[in-house]
Amino acid sequence: MDKVTFDQLQETLYHEELPNGLHVYILPKQGFNKTFATFTTKYGSIDNNFIPLGKEEATKVPDGIAHFLEHKLFEDEEGDVFQLFSKQGASANAFTSFTRTAYLFSSTMNIKQNLKTLLDFVQKPYFTDESVEKEKGIIEQEIRMYDDNPDWQNYFGLIRTMYETHPVKIDIAGTVESINKITKEMLYTCYETFYHPSNMVFFVVGNIDPEETMAIIKENQAGKKFSDQKEIQRFFETEKKEVHEKELVLPMNVNTGKCLVGFKDSNPILQGKDLLKHELSIQLLLEMMFGQSTENYQKLYDEGLIDDSFSFDYSGEQGFGFSVIGGDSDKPQQLAERIKSIVDSFEKTDLDENLMEGLRKKKIGYFLRSLNSPEYIANQFTRYRFNDMDLFDVIPVLETIKKEDLQTAFKEHFITETQMSRCLVTPKGA
Amino acid sequence: MKVGPLNIHVLPSTTYKTNTVFLHMRSPLTKETVTKRALLPYVLQSGTKDYPTRKEIRKELDDLYGATLNVDVSKKGEFHLMSFRMEVANEKFLSDDRPLFERALKLFASVLLSPKESDGAFDKSIVEGEKRTLKQKLASVYDDKMRYANKRLTEEMCEDEPFGLFVLGDSDDIPSIDEKNLFEYYKEVLNSDRLDLFIVGDVKEEELGPIMNKYFKEFSSIAERDQNTVPENNINKLDRKPREVIEEQEVQQGKLHIGYRTNVTYKDDDYFALQLFNGVFGGFSHSKLFINVREKASLAYYAASRVESHKGLLIVMSGIESKKFDDATKIIFEQMEAMKAGDFTEDDLEQTKAVFKNQLLETMDVPRGRIELEYHNQLSDKKRPIEEWIKEIDNVNKEDIVRVAGKVQLDTVYFLKGKEETNNG
């Protein structure tokens, strides 16, 4: 077992790669009641075209199948896994993102048993035709719920303006039509391909003894057999560099309009420290242009173009990366124009070193605060790990970012002519 | 610890990388004050004497290593709460070890006690800006259908009670509020609200005393007040027949919200029996609602219930296909009848106790959660030390739950359904 200590943060991280390829990470946290564990596969909504395990040819699967599989894994031969966790005083959950499916529990008791339950249910699929059919009604209502959610529609609308072919544009839960095509056989195919331990990470954070915890996980894994797996072949259609379309307007049953502006990475191939540096640079730039302590924010607010819902974010993975800026607005069109002109005029100003220093501090403080949250640590660490980054590099990398790095990142990312698009939600009939 | 009417509660902990300051200001919910209170914290966080604009305040927060300041309003029983929360990094985890906490407290006190004012009025442009924002926030409640349905149910169910008022107030009140009358109300609040300040983090109570007296010294000259008048709760509606309210909108999914009166609140001996009743009935993913509405009947993605501890309400929420209203309500009512008939096992109860205790312990892991738990005791005449909760939970038995179930009464069924032409599910 390796051990890395972060003196300033007063954290120690333990790690081991097991013989079956599973990477296990353990972060002890004194003073916490709860233990939080995630078991995550590098498999999400974008992985819809791949060569199934043991096959020669690629196959394409229906939209939303990774999410469907996430739902169905909770059913076991003996019944419902939620029930089992409850009996052991744990609450379990799961989520599917573009690139990951994570299963998790949090608990303050029976930790050993709960760890085993998490490992066992994820590694024991049990699908029947009947249970697959039954799940369709539940997921249909999940999709309908998102259909009525203007923020979700706005966000996915924006992604659809940016991407023409890349599967990031597919709604994570799929559509009512696509999920109805899903069969038990397809679920097994996806499961066998993507749930091999070598494609997964197990993360435990809490008031635990690292040696003992590692021993439990190792023993559990040693008792199971897995076939060797070569690297998974995934296919993504070539995505053009520039945005797919400049604007999408979605009239919805709402009172208040919404505006999101996106910037699409033109060459999303970065991984590791380069991606971390890129991500942090873009986030600093967004803070400089749109943060609450800027003149721009104050103006937009005073002019009544934004309210407290205004926010911004950048997310990048291999194959896609974009920033999103916006929020509720009575005048979504006008807000989109203003965001564009703020970016355009930022290009002409010189980067203020003092401002940069202040925002660097802010980001460091935010990072420290997020280390209060076991959920954040486990989820974010895993996301970083799948992109060859290390969560605990955030502060060191933040400290090395220079003015020139920001200038480069700005030039590459914030190109209003070709890389910018917008999605507006407007009140129907208004 | 106290500074005049300001009650200070210190919860020392070395678990966190940050220190948290949290103030609850509270007074009874009334039609006359609800909208002003929804506005006031937002005005206060937008400009002070020392930091005259929102931008300057935010700049100071950035310099404090990204300290956060959040304000909020909420309802707890028939009380209306204005809350201010600041969280700041503990410098011992930073390479720069200049102290941050005292500087953060100074800013916090400035927001609370030294607003930007002249001639007994707030800054006009700040107040007008926040009025506009509040108006937009109120309008957009309609856009979040789950929230909208919850608001509508509460309005219908508690139409003659203060609890029926919406937490953000009423759009119609906004035009009559100005920088002068809001400032007058602010002065009134300082003289009459119940004030509880919580500090969670790596702090020592004895060292905090002088700092508190320094930054909150204005309070030392303000008179003490009647500390804990709990408004008369739970207008008795036993004679009222259950009502059904159906509203149509263009939605893909119907929102079914059902309100019950529990006739049990935090002050009652049956409080934990009620919490466990809710756990067996609908609070968790092993509960009757989840199992029967979702897992067995595939009618919904979510079907859950929650308890309002200080008002004595139980609210069921589920998102269903509009034409499945009858099926869903039938199953939900059957689950309630099963609870009343004691149709659940000792195992169900043990499982619920385990999960509920777990949830409590987890809540205590989060600074804000710990404060919320402690605050229950400031909201009620009944005092229950947090340490005793676990014991009280363990003492609940099946008979207690059936007795509580017997007190639970259906009040209002609210359904937000899709219009026929959009109901294509």
Side-chain angles (χ1 to χ4, degrees):
Chain A
M1 184 160 67
D2 327 323
K3 174 179 162 182
V4 196
T5 305
F6 306 96
D7 292 328
Q8 189 68 54
L9 298 171
Q10 299 180 23
E11 301 283 4
T12 305
L13 180 69
Y14 297 82
H15 164 249
E16 188 164 342
E17 183 182 351
L18 306 189
N20 64 18
L22 179 66
H23 283 270
V24 181
Y25 294 89
I26 298 171
L27 188 79
K29 275 261 184 197
Q30 263 90 53
F32 275 83
N33 291 313
K34 87 162 149 194
T35 294
F36 181 75
T38 59
F39 195 11
T40 311
T41 164
K42 189 178 178 179
Y43 167 54
S45 62
I46 65 167
D47 299 298
N48 64 352
N49 191 355
F50 56 90
I51 299 181
L53 182 73
K55 296 274 163 51
E56 301 286 313
E57 271 174 45
T59 185
K60 208 153 176 229
V61 288
D63 294 350
I65 194 166
H67 171 258
F68 200 107
L69 179 52
E70 173 228 297
H71 272 237
K72 275 333 298 169
L73 266 191
F74 279 94
E75 198 158 293
D76 235 322
E77 237 172 310
E78 294 88 48
D80 187 89
V81 179
F82 285 120
Q83 293 280 344
L84 187 55
F85 275 114
S86 295
K87 288 202 174 89
Q88 296 165 187
S91 67
N93 215 332
F95 64 84
T96 308
S97 73
F98 296 129
T99 53
R100 287 173 290 144
T101 312
Y103 300 84
L104 53 99
F105 78 81
S106 69
S107 182
T108 55
M109 58 190 103
N110 305 322
I111 301 307
K112 189 175 168 179
Q113 192 50 47
N114 284 317
L115 286 169
K116 285 188 199 162
T117 302
L118 178 59
L119 288 160
D120 290 345
F121 97 83
V122 173
Q123 292 184 330
K124 206 170 107 199
Y126 175 73
F127 314 130
T128 63
D129 290 325
E130 193 202 349
S131 75
V132 169
E133 281 317 302
K134 214 170 186 180
E135 202 65 26
K136 289 177 181 172
I138 297 171
I139 296 180
E140 179 174 334
Q141 285 311 313
E142 190 177 358
I143 293 170
R144 297 282 181 223
M145 180 176 83
Y146 284 113
D147 284 345
D148 285 332
N149 182 326
D151 289 312
W152 187 260
Q153 292 307 315
N154 197 11
Y155 183 70
F156 267 89
L158 180 70
I159 294 175
R160 287 201 306 273
T161 62
M162 290 189 278
Y163 291 88
E164 184 184 23
T165 51
H166 193 281
V168 68
K169 70 174 190 162
I170 298 166
D171 209 319
I172 290 169
T175 62
V176 173
E177 202 190 351
S178 73
I179 62 161
N180 273 303
K181 293 185 191 134
I182 292 172
T183 64
K184 177 182 85 182
E185 289 70 27
M186 291 176 192
L187 291 177
Y188 277 115
T189 300
C190 292
Y191 180 85
E192 280 151 14
T193 308
F194 292 107
Y195 281 70
H196 191 274
S198 60
N199 192 44
M200 300 186 74
V201 163
F202 199 89
F203 199 104
V204 194
V205 48
N207 203 347
I208 39 165
D209 177 75
E211 275 84 18
E212 196 190 338
T213 307
M214 189 63 86
I216 294 166
I217 298 166
K218 282 174 85 167
E219 192 198 327
N220 176 285
Q221 290 301 285
K224 296 175 187 173
K225 276 208 172 68
F226 297 93
S227 57
D228 277 349
Q229 194 181 36
K230 285 182 280 183
E231 196 171 340
I232 304 165
Q233 298 288 316
R234 315 168 196 233
F235 303 98
F236 302 100
E237 284 178 69
T238 330
E239 173 70 33
K240 62 182 179 188
K241 284 187 185 307
E242 56 278 11
V243 293
H244 171 50
E245 52 187 353
K246 300 258 170 169
E247 182 181 273
L248 176 66
V249 179
L250 302 171
M252 286 186 74
N253 173 28
V254 294
N255 276 335
T256 309
K258 289 174 188 293
C259 159
L260 289 179
V261 172
F263 286 90
K264 176 184 178 183
D265 272 335
S266 54
N267 195 19
I269 50 159
L270 298 178
Q271 289 282 277
K273 265 201 176 146
D274 296 335
L275 178 58
L276 184 56
K277 196 168 183 176
H278 177 71
E279 179 174 303
L280 293 169
S281 301
I282 303 285
Q283 286 171 354
L284 281 172
L285 286 163
L286 286 165
E287 284 285 353
M288 283 180 173
M289 291 186 279
F290 301 104
Q292 290 201 41
S293 53
T294 63
E295 193 67 41
N296 292 332
Y297 184 97
Q298 180 87 43
K299 272 194 188 151
L300 292 173
Y301 196 91
D302 290 346
E303 289 165 29
L305 287 174
I306 60 172
D307 65 13
D308 303 333
S309 66
F310 184 82
S311 69
F312 46 81
D313 194 20
Y314 170 82
S315 49
E317 304 265 344
Q318 187 155 36
F320 64 92
F322 50 84
S323 7
V324 177
I325 308 152
D328 290 358
S329 182
D330 261 352
K331 305 176 188 90
Q333 198 81 34
Q334 211 174 317
L335 176 57
E337 290 303 325
R338 286 296 298 277
I339 290 171
K340 177 180 184 296
S341 65
I342 287 170
V343 171
D344 281 337
S345 57
F346 187 80
E347 200 178 356
K348 292 168 201 105
T349 56
D350 205 26
L351 283 174
D352 180 347
E353 303 257 8
N354 279 332
L355 180 63
M356 200 175 141
E357 235 13 76
L359 294 174
R360 200 197 304 267
K361 273 187 180 174
K362 177 180 181 168
K363 294 289 291 178
I364 290 173
Y366 273 32
F367 179 71
L368 215 50
R369 200 179 68 234
S370 46
L371 292 187
N372 281 344
S373 159
E375 291 84 351
Y376 174 89
I377 296 171
N379 293 330
Q380 203 61 8
F381 186 92
T382 305
R383 188 199 139 224
Y384 276 32
R385 173 70 184 63
F386 284 154
N387 285 290
D388 292 326
M389 300 189 271
D390 186 336
L391 181 65
F392 291 97
D393 279 341
V394 166
I395 292 182
V397 170
L398 263 174
E399 281 170 345
T400 60
I401 291 176
K402 293 185 198 59
K403 191 173 155 179
E404 294 71 37
D405 296 317
L406 293 191
Q407 280 163 337
T408 312
F410 184 88
K411 283 206 184 76
E412 283 172 9
H413 186 74
F414 291 100
I415 306 169
T416 51
E417 298 82 48
T418 55
Q419 305 312 116
M420 184 184 75
S421 63
R422 63 177 72 159
C423 178
L424 313 177
V425 171
T426 56
K428 228 175 206 176
Chain B
M1 202 191 320
K2 279 172 82 88
V3 181
L6 181 68
N7 301 290
I8 300 168
H9 314 270
V10 183
L11 309 171
S13 166
T14 52
T15 306
Y16 311 114
K17 300 229 174 340
T18 54
N19 294 316
T20 299
V21 188
F22 201 127
L23 173 71
H24 278 315
M25 309 177 78
R26 148 193 126 202
S27 80
L29 263 167
T30 68
K31 170 94 185 79
E32 292 68 40
T33 57
V34 65
T35 312
K36 281 182 183 158
R37 293 180 75 85
L39 199 56
L40 185 55
Y42 293 90
V43 169
L44 291 176
Q45 71 153 357
S46 300
T48 77
K49 266 197 195 82
D50 302 329
Y51 310 97
T53 61
R54 197 184 170 103
K55 187 184 144 208
E56 312 260 354
I57 293 177
R58 293 289 147 184
K59 182 82 181 52
E60 174 67 2
L61 289 164
D62 287 359
D63 284 344
L64 285 162
Y65 273 90
T68 56
L69 171 67
N70 296 295
V71 301
D72 197 10
V73 281
S74 56
K75 284 196 292 190
K76 289 271 192 295
E78 309 278 17
F79 283 121
H80 200 199
L81 273 61
M82 299 187 286
S83 308
F84 299 75
R85 176 166 57 115
M86 189 181 269
E87 202 175 344
V88 62
N90 183 337
E91 60 276 3
K92 80 175 184 195
F93 300 105
L94 297 169
S95 49
D96 170 3
D97 61 1
R98 276 173 295 179
L100 297 172
F101 186 63
E102 192 176 335
R103 219 177 115 190
L105 263 184
K106 186 176 168 225
L107 176 60
F108 192 87
S110 172
V111 166
L112 185 67
L113 294 168
S114 317
K116 191 179 178 204
E117 59 142 332
S118 56
D119 302 328
F122 284 121
D123 183 277
K124 187 178 172 65
S125 64
I126 288 177
V127 173
E128 290 307 314
E130 292 310 315
K131 280 165 72 176
R132 187 179 54 223
T133 299
L134 179 59
K135 204 172 162 212
Q136 183 158 312
K137 268 197 267 183
L138 280 163
S140 58
V141 171
Y142 176 88
D143 306 348
D144 178 344
K145 302 306 171 193
M146 208 188 292
R147 193 161 177 226
Y148 175 80
N150 202 43
K151 173 176 184 268
R152 289 287 301 116
L153 171 71
T154 314
E155 281 168 358
E156 291 289 340
M157 193 170 165
C158 304
E159 55 186 342
D160 307 322
E161 298 155 81
F163 196 79
L165 294 167
F166 186 55
V167 64
L168 295 179
D170 188 335
S171 246
D172 294 342
D173 298 340
I174 295 178
S176 68
I177 300 175
D178 62 30
E179 62 281 7
K180 208 161 166 55
N181 61 27
L182 191 64
F183 190 77
E184 280 159 19
Y185 182 66
Y186 162 68
K187 286 289 172 194
E188 196 183 315
V189 159
L190 289 181
N191 281 299
S192 61
D193 262 37
R194 158 94 191 182
L195 308 169
D196 289 285
L197 183 82
F198 293 85
I199 295 177
V200 184
D202 194 1
V203 290
K204 292 192 180 65
E205 183 150 4
E206 56 276 17
E207 288 169 14
L208 275 174
I211 304 176
M212 289 298 165
N213 280 309
K214 182 175 169 193
Y215 294 110
F216 296 100
K217 70 167 181 290
E218 277 192 59
F219 281 119
S220 53
S221 57
I222 297 178
E224 290 258 1
R225 59 202 59 159
D226 183 9
Q227 284 287 334
N228 232 344
T229 328
V230 179
E232 203 42 53
N233 210 346
N234 257 338
I235 293 175
N236 198 331
K237 295 211 162 181
L238 295 184
D239 49 347
R240 191 166 102 162
K241 281 208 181 91
R243 296 197 304 154
E244 193 175 281
V245 179
I246 294 181
E247 194 175 327
E248 270 193 15
Q249 261 188 35
E250 201 176 293
V251 286
Q252 295 288 322
Q253 180 177 70
K255 302 286 182 205
L256 176 58
H257 287 221
I258 304 177
Y260 292 87
R261 305 260 168 189
T262 63
N263 299 298
V264 174
T265 61
Y266 183 76
K267 67 177 192 306
D268 297 310
D269 293 340
D270 271 339
Y271 177 68
F272 285 105
L274 173 70
Q275 288 286 356
L276 291 169
F277 161 85
N278 179 56
V280 176
F281 175 63
F284 301 106
S285 56
H286 69 269
S287 308
K288 284 182 180 292
L289 292 182
F290 189 89
I291 298 297
N292 290 287
V293 180
R294 172 175 151 142
E295 300 294 293
K296 289 197 178 148
S298 298
L299 285 177
Y301 171 62
Y302 66 90
S305 65
R306 63 178 177 83
V307 160
E308 214 297 345
S309 294
H310 296 276
K311 174 65 183 166
L313 305 180
L314 178 104
I315 310 291
V316 172
M317 290 166 291
S318 187
I320 56 170
E321 215 182 301
S322 289
K323 63 182 180 208
K324 297 286 171 61
F325 173 76
D326 291 337
D327 301 350
T329 44
K330 180 165 175 275
I331 296 173
I332 293 166
F333 292 156
E334 280 168 5
Q335 303 318 307
M336 181 57 87
E337 286 313 308
M339 292 301 300
K340 289 180 193 270
D343 184 8
F344 57 93
T345 64
E346 289 291 340
D347 273 0
D348 292 336
L349 178 55
E350 285 315 306
Q351 185 175 4
T352 302
K353 282 184 181 177
V355 180
F356 185 61
K357 282 190 278 188
N358 184 53
Q359 193 182 52
L360 267 181
L361 289 166
E362 287 192 17
T363 306
M364 281 152 87
D365 276 345
V366 185
R368 187 181 180 152
R370 244 186 102 178
I371 293 166
E372 289 303 311
L373 292 179
E374 294 284 345
Y375 193 65
H376 278 297
N377 287 321
Q378 310 299 333
L379 278 165
S380 172
D381 299 331
K382 174 86 181 178
K383 305 294 171 221
R384 281 198 179 90
I386 306 290
E387 304 75 50
E388 285 173 24
W389 287 25
I390 300 286
K391 208 167 69 201
E392 290 204 45
I393 293 163
D394 282 329
N395 287 338
V396 174
N397 61 35
K398 196 175 163 182
E399 288 70 48
D400 297 329
I401 294 191
V402 174
R403 182 178 64 250
V404 164
K407 297 183 188 176
V408 177
Q409 293 174 291
L410 178 62
D411 188 293
T412 302
V413 176
Y414 172 84
F415 189 48
L416 177 65
K417 65 182 267 193
K419 287 185 180 151
E420 289 304 322
E421 68 266 33
T422 57
N423 180 18
N424 52 7

